[in-house]
Amino acid sequence: MMNSANEWQTALPEFLLEAETLLAKSEECLSHLHLIRNDSDAIDCMKLSLTKLAEKADSLALQAISEFSRHIQYLIANAVNPLQLHDQALDALHACLTLLAWQLELIDTRTGELGLDESEQTTLIATVALQIPQKNFGHKPQQRLHHAS
């Protein structure tokens, strides 16, 4: 967590640039999967990009971003058959990435606050979970998508 507003204002632009790059890479992988469904490199690249985004968000205490990124990554990683994602699953993942990009734009550059209603995150996660059958439903990542930011 940042110690001062000055540290925050210095770290945030760097984070946003990295986050934008990671999201663009995830989008690129997703587009590739629309063309070639069984590309394990594209799946791995997307999982790695989302994990890195979550870690970067954690370092700035952007919990809503880190938890959402981590949950999307988990749903991909825990898929029964990640190499058989159909159009609806890919579209649901695209909606998640779009929401992440939009949320990054909403971060207050002075305070680091991200005031948002997390119901859209919750809805999208549920949609992805419905579209991508999971290996085991009992061990979901720890998340608190229902807290107020």
Side-chain angles (χ1 to χ4, degrees), residues 12-28 49 53 56 97 100-101 104-105:
L12 182 63
E14 183 179 318
F15 165 75
L16 290 175
L17 187 59
E18 286 181 86
E20 184 178 304
T21 301
L22 291 168
L23 277 176
K25 190 150 192 81
S26 293
E27 286 280 354
E28 197 176 297
S49 295
L53 177 58
K56 300 287 183 186
L97 296 178
L100 269 171
L104 289 170
E105 291 181 21

Side-chain angles (χ1 to χ4, degrees), residues 2 4-22 53 56 59-60 62 104 107-112:
M2 300 286 105
S4 71
N6 286 342
E7 282 184 75
W8 174 256
Q9 290 175 357
T10 302
L12 182 63
E14 183 179 318
F15 165 75
L16 290 175
L17 187 59
E18 286 181 86
E20 184 178 304
T21 301
L22 291 168
L53 177 58
K56 300 287 183 186
S59 71
L60 291 181
L62 294 169
L104 289 170
I107 298 170
D108 186 306
T109 56
R110 289 175 288 118
T111 65

